[in-house]
Amino acid sequence: MRSVIVALIAIGIVSSAVPARSLDTIEHTVEAGETLWSIAALSDVYDDPYLWPVIYKFNRDQIKDPARIYAGQILQIPIHLDGSVRQASYIEAGRPGSVSAPPPPARATRSQE
């Protein structure tokens, strides 16, 4: 379990402040025609399609392209997401009204003389 927590912290799914009990997961077997968006929208998953990046990041070992999942894949879906994980997912998924950090200032370049 510790290696799972360290891996999740490294890829940004959870912060180091998230207790181990929050890493409980449910299992979902992908059915034909489903997408990460539709899975996240299920009432017994997140009931929110904009949380699809959480499922993708948690299952990167078997999902190389979030637009391509296959019937029969068994996905582990973390539950008990904290607010910062939800906000990061909303930004990545392009949820209207999500606020992201402003871009860093442009680096000054040398003028050509």
Side-chain angles (χ1 to χ4, degrees):
M1 182 60 133
R2 179 164 166 60
S3 61
V4 171
I5 295 169
V6 171
L8 294 175
I9 291 168
I11 62 174
I13 290 181
V14 296
S15 71
S16 58
V18 176
R21 71 179 183 283
S22 70
L23 294 177
D24 292 338
T25 62
I26 58 173
E27 195 172 87
H28 178 82
T29 302
V30 177
E31 296 180 13
E34 283 188 316
T35 63
L36 293 178
W37 174 277
S38 68
I39 294 167
L42 294 171
S43 62
D44 60 337
V45 177
Y46 296 132
D47 203 22
D48 186 341
Y50 289 100
L51 293 175
W52 70 262
V54 175
I55 301 170
Y56 168 59
K57 289 178 180 178
F58 201 80
N59 290 278
R60 278 193 184 161
D61 60 325
Q62 62 176 317
I63 302 174
K64 304 306 176 206
D65 178 350
R68 293 180 184 257
I69 59 173
Y70 302 95
Q73 279 182 297
I74 299 172
L75 305 177
Q76 298 300 315
I77 301 173
I79 54 176
H80 307 298
L81 305 178
D82 69 17
S84 63
V85 172
R86 287 178 180 275
Q87 183 62 26
S89 182
Y90 290 159
I91 292 167
E92 185 172 346
R95 180 180 179 191
S98 297
V99 179
S100 62
R107 180 181 272 188
T109 58
R110 296 173 81 173
S111 62
Q112 294 182 356
E113 295 176 16

